[in-house]
Amino acid sequence: VTLARRDVYLRKPKDSLPPAKFVIKEHAMICTGAIILLCPDDYTLVVGRNSVVGAGSVLTHSIGDNEMWAGNPARLVKRWNGQEWVKA
């Protein structure tokens, strides 16, 4: 799993950029090889409770609770309805 900023190539000094913040809530699952990139416009990225980021996915924004995201770029593929995963 890779957590990184998308703005590392900006020509500003590092100290002028706000610190990046990644929040991974309880029971979230980030599968092997997933890449999570923080957008320059939003310095906090949240992976919601009980959410899944698929293997090899590239996630570029926050996701809500009980969601499954996959692909490059990652897209919402399923939601947990309390009993099972249903297609989004």
Side-chain angles (χ1 to χ4, degrees):
V1 174
T2 302
L3 302 174
R5 296 173 72 129
R6 285 181 33 190
D7 59 358
V8 294
Y9 297 109
L10 289 177
R11 295 181 184 257
K12 295 179 182 179
K14 284 185 179 182
D15 58 355
S16 70
L17 296 172
K21 183 176 179 184
F22 295 94
V23 179
I24 301 171
K25 294 191 175 179
E26 59 189 15
H27 305 292
M29 184 180 349
I30 302 173
C31 297
T32 304
I35 298 171
I36 300 177
L37 297 174
L38 188 63
C39 271
D41 302 332
D42 181 15
Y43 288 98
T44 300
L45 187 141
V46 178
V47 176
R49 290 181 51 199
N50 306 314
S51 291
V52 178
V53 179
S57 297
V58 179
L59 184 68
T60 58
H61 54 82
S62 294
I63 63 175
D65 296 342
N66 305 309
E67 296 178 344
M68 183 183 296
W69 289 70
N72 180 4
R75 295 187 177 121
L76 178 63
V77 291
K78 294 187 179 184
R79 283 196 169 98
W80 180 255
N81 68 6
Q83 297 178 348
E84 62 183 357
W85 289 100
V86 294
K87 192 172 182 177

